[in-house]
Amino acid sequence: MSYYFCIVGTRDNPLFELEFGTSKQGGDGVARFPTEARQLNPFIVHASLDVVEEVQWLNPQMYLKRVDHFASSQISCWLTPTNVKFLVLHLPHPPNTPPPTQNSSQNPHMFPPYASFTTSGPSSSLLARASASTGAGNAATIPTNPASPQTEEALRLFFTEVYETWVKAIMNPFQGVNKALSSPVFKTRVLTAAKKFL
């Protein structure tokens, strides 16, 4: 699964952006978004802010779970008490494989970077791996099913660790709540949390 993580400030301004891939099931941690999707990801995440603002009044939790989707990608959200939003766009595909290429026989009305993920079925090796993995706590289902409880729990743990790191970062007197986070230490800790949970 490929992930695009974004922290959005109280004025809907991006404070931090990072792309990474899954590290579970032998994944190498590299995001495998198509080129067009990399350019589209910030727009998809920011388009979900309207949904987040509606859902935040209905859910008293900080972790709002999946709030929106675009094609086969899902957007999950963590809302801080200061109304800063942590958003993750996750796009499923088999680990250690590049995304399928777009061909002309697929649906011509879909945007190219996401059409290949929504119109083609999972590979036979992926289905065999998913059927061979049984048990509720098995992390093998995380890359294959973005709507599974295991994925939700992994995202919640990731958000919790990143939130703790973010609180420590903004306690710096030179760092404001709505200032961009450019600390390499913060980026390293986010990548460590991603490798640990996702």
Side-chain angles (χ1 to χ4, degrees), residues 37 55 67 81 87 109 135 140 143 163 168:
V55 172
V67 293
L87 297 160
H109 301 293
Y163 174 66
K168 292 174 186 174

Side-chain angles (χ1 to χ4, degrees), residues 1-4 19-34 37-38 41 72-74 89-101 113-114 116-118 120-123 125-127 129 140-146 151 198:
M1 203 174 316
S2 294
Y3 298 94
Y4 171 75
E19 287 184 356
F20 52 90
T22 188
S23 295
K24 300 293 180 187
Q25 285 193 343
D28 55 3
V30 176
R32 287 182 169 64
F33 289 110
R38 287 181 195 269
N41 287 342
S72 64
S73 61
Q74 307 285 329
L89 179 139
H90 38 107
L91 180 66
H93 58 82
N96 290 332
T97 57
T101 57
Y114 292 98
S116 58
F117 292 109
T118 56
S120 64
S123 67
S125 63
L126 185 62
L127 289 173
R129 240 184 298 144
T141 58
I142 290 175
T144 59
N145 185 4
T151 305
L198 304 175

Side-chain angles (χ1 to χ4, degrees), residues 157-158 161-162 188-198:
L157 293 170
F158 168 74
E161 189 152 324
V162 171
T188 303
R189 290 186 179 168
V190 170
L191 285 172
T192 303
K195 188 173 185 178
K196 184 176 178 182
F197 298 113
L198 304 175

Side-chain angles (χ1 to χ4, degrees), residues 8-194:
V8 179
T10 59
R11 299 181 192 128
D12 293 344
N13 55 324
L15 304 178
F16 181 78
E17 296 176 307
L18 184 65
E19 287 184 356
F20 52 90
T22 188
S23 295
K24 300 293 180 187
Q25 285 193 343
D28 55 3
V30 176
R32 287 182 169 64
F33 289 110
T35 305
E36 295 86 6
R38 287 181 195 269
Q39 298 167 357
L40 193 60
N41 287 342
F43 296 107
I44 296 169
V45 167
H46 279 75
S48 70
L49 290 176
D50 293 333
V51 178
V52 170
E53 289 175 359
E54 292 176 13
V55 172
Q56 74 181 2
W57 303 111
L58 304 173
N59 189 345
Q61 305 297 321
M62 292 175 73
Y63 178 46
L64 303 179
K65 299 187 179 181
R66 284 182 292 126
V67 293
D68 200 6
H69 63 87
F70 177 80
S72 64
S73 61
Q74 307 285 329
I75 296 107
S76 300
C77 180
W78 177 280
L79 187 66
T80 68
T82 59
N83 203 27
V84 173
K85 299 152 197 82
F86 296 179
L87 297 160
V88 169
L89 179 139
H90 38 107
L91 180 66
H93 58 82
N96 290 332
T97 57
T101 57
Q102 173 74 15
N103 62 32
S104 59
S105 66
Q106 293 178 345
N107 188 350
H109 301 293
M110 296 199 63
F111 190 76
Y114 292 98
S116 58
F117 292 109
T118 56
T119 58
S120 64
S123 67
S124 60
S125 63
L126 185 62
L127 289 173
R129 240 184 298 144
S131 64
S133 63
T134 57
N138 194 348
T141 58
I142 290 175
T144 59
N145 185 4
S148 71
Q150 293 88 359
T151 305
E152 293 287 340
E153 181 65 16
L155 280 168
R156 187 189 64 78
L157 293 170
F158 168 74
F159 278 134
T160 302
E161 189 152 324
V162 171
Y163 174 66
E164 291 172 4
T165 305
W166 177 78
V167 167
K168 292 174 186 174
I170 65 165
M171 288 175 61
N172 180 351
F174 299 109
Q175 178 67 45
V177 174
N178 279 316
K179 281 182 67 178
L181 286 162
S182 59
S183 167
V185 174
F186 181 78
K187 180 180 179 180
T188 303
R189 290 186 179 168
V190 170
L191 285 172
T192 303

